[in-house]
Amino acid sequence: MPELPEVETVRRTLARLVVGKTIEGVTVRLSRIVQRPDDTAAFEAMLEGRTIREIGRRGKFLRIVLDGLVLVSHLRMEGRYGVYKADEPVEPHTHVVFSFTDGTELRYKDVRQFGTMHLFQPGEDLASPPLSKLGLEPLDEAFTFAAFRGAVAGKTTKVKPLLLNQEYIAGLGNIYVDEALHRAGIHPERPMQSLKRSELEALHSAIVATLKEAVDAGGSSIKSYVNGQGEMGMFQQQLSAYGREGRPCYTCGGPIVKTKVGGRGTHFCPHCQPIRRSRTR
């Protein structure tokens, strides 16, 4: 599933490609993609004649801001947006087509068919599910150490499942949680309440640094992720823990181990990320 860096990369790409374009018509080919309103004909009619003013993001969700409406889109497992000329062949698994007045189209393709679209009045989107349930935005200036500590400190939940919970921090997924924990030297099964202030500071810094580096690299092309122009991200070449089972840790040389934490495949270094905090560290 695309995580924050991948969605941010798609946002930046679409901002260059479709902002300022006016929708001439919308065709929904798979009704279950549209969650709100529940009538796809109404969805199509409401968007007709609207101009895209901004492409935003909240966690793993895209916010397509139009005249008088906001379209909230989640890519889920394999959703992709692409911009095409109207006369180009429509690829299989293309479920929603936004036709623009300039003869181009924004097409949403989703092999797994898990993606969702919600249409809201401006301001209503942030106050309603799914966005209203999201926690701190880790690339915002408001994501200070104090805010992070206030959200997670003292929780009895293991560190990794808590970081994956979107109600605490929005946008983190399996790849970047593993990477941030490895960078911070924290075992994924440590209870959050066991972390000392210095460890929380290290984790906060690791989350921000990992996400910023991933965004700069265009995300990680694990499995089938591509951005809105069909380009692959390159951060997978910089991964230190995720997907490196049995390979040497870049810090200590010991093998990266894979296990399951909270039902999710988890990669870490037992030496650099001990389960118990050493008194001498």
Side-chain angles (χ1 to χ4, degrees), residues 93-112:
H93 310 292
T94 298
H95 304 309
V96 184
V97 177
F98 304 85
S99 300
F100 298 119
T101 56
D102 68 352
T104 62
E105 294 179 344
L106 175 63
R107 300 174 184 173
Y108 177 75
K109 186 170 73 171
D110 191 343
V111 174
R112 299 289 292 275

Side-chain angles (χ1 to χ4, degrees), residues 3 5 138 143 148 159-160 163-164 169 172-188 195 199-214 235 238-242 266-269 272-273:
E3 301 180 31
F143 188 66
F148 172 67
V159 172
K160 178 164 183 178
L163 293 179
L164 289 175
I169 302 175
L172 286 175
N174 211 36
I175 297 173
Y176 299 110
V177 168
D178 280 4
E179 290 299 299
L181 288 174
H182 182 265
R183 184 184 292 233
I186 296 171
H187 194 286
L195 270 59
E199 293 176 302
L200 285 173
E201 290 175 339
L203 181 55
H204 173 262
S205 297
I207 290 170
V208 174
T210 299
L211 292 177
K212 284 184 176 180
E213 290 175 12
F235 190 72
Q238 300 172 228
L239 297 175
S240 297
Y242 185 87
T266 299
H267 304 78
F268 70 100
C269 173
C272 295
Q273 299 167 259

Side-chain angles (χ1 to χ4, degrees), residues 26 84 95 184 232 243 279:
V26 179
Y84 303 81
H95 304 309
M232 297 177 66
R279 294 184 179 183

Side-chain angles (χ1 to χ4, degrees), residues 8-234:
E8 175 63 18
T9 301
V10 172
R11 183 199 71 78
R12 294 182 180 187
T13 305
L14 292 182
R16 295 197 304 268
L17 297 177
V18 302
V19 167
K21 295 195 176 192
T22 299
I23 298 173
E24 186 172 57
V26 179
T27 302
V28 177
R29 298 166 178 257
L30 183 67
S31 60
R32 70 167 171 266
I33 298 292
V34 177
Q35 300 287 302
R36 175 189 171 113
D38 56 12
D39 181 352
T40 56
F43 178 86
E44 294 170 342
M46 291 170 69
L47 288 169
E48 186 176 336
R50 309 270 183 174
T51 299
I52 296 178
R53 299 300 182 186
E54 177 187 346
I55 307 292
R57 180 191 54 76
R58 180 73 172 95
K60 301 177 187 180
F61 291 83
L62 289 169
R63 294 179 66 250
I64 301 175
V65 181
L66 307 104
D67 295 325
L69 288 174
V70 178
L71 175 60
V72 176
S73 173
H74 199 303
L75 303 176
R76 298 295 175 185
M77 297 296 291
E78 295 190 19
R80 301 182 188 178
Y81 280 102
V83 177
Y84 303 81
K85 293 181 179 179
D87 58 0
E88 291 185 67
V90 177
E91 297 176 345
H93 310 292
T94 298
H95 304 309
V96 184
V97 177
F98 304 85
S99 300
F100 298 119
T101 56
D102 68 352
T104 62
E105 294 179 344
L106 175 63
R107 300 174 184 173
Y108 177 75
K109 186 170 73 171
D110 191 343
V111 174
R112 299 289 292 275
Q113 304 179 3
F114 292 153
T116 60
M117 295 184 186
H118 295 74
L119 207 52
F120 295 96
Q121 296 295 318
E124 186 182 15
D125 59 306
L126 297 174
S128 307
L131 299 189
S132 63
K133 297 182 178 182
L134 299 180
L136 298 170
E137 189 68 38
L139 291 184
D140 276 2
E141 291 183 0
F143 188 66
T144 62
F145 171 68
F148 172 67
R149 186 184 187 191
V152 305
K155 299 293 188 297
T156 59
T157 310
K158 293 177 181 178
V159 172
K160 178 164 183 178
L162 189 145
L163 293 179
L164 289 175
N165 188 331
Q166 301 298 292
E167 294 185 12
Y168 291 100
I169 302 175
L172 286 175
N174 211 36
I175 297 173
Y176 299 110
V177 168
D178 280 4
E179 290 299 299
L181 288 174
H182 182 265
R183 184 184 292 233
I186 296 171
H187 194 286
E189 294 187 287
R190 289 270 304 274
M192 184 62 79
Q193 66 178 0
S194 74
L195 270 59
K196 306 300 182 184
R197 180 187 176 95
S198 60
E199 293 176 302
L200 285 173
E201 290 175 339
L203 181 55
H204 173 262
S205 297
I207 290 170
V208 174
T210 299
L211 292 177
K212 284 184 176 180
E213 290 175 12
V215 169
D216 289 343
S220 298
S221 289
I222 304 298
K223 293 188 178 179
S224 61
Y225 162 72
V226 294
N227 70 10
Q229 288 181 295
E231 299 168 340
M232 297 177 66
M234 299 304 293

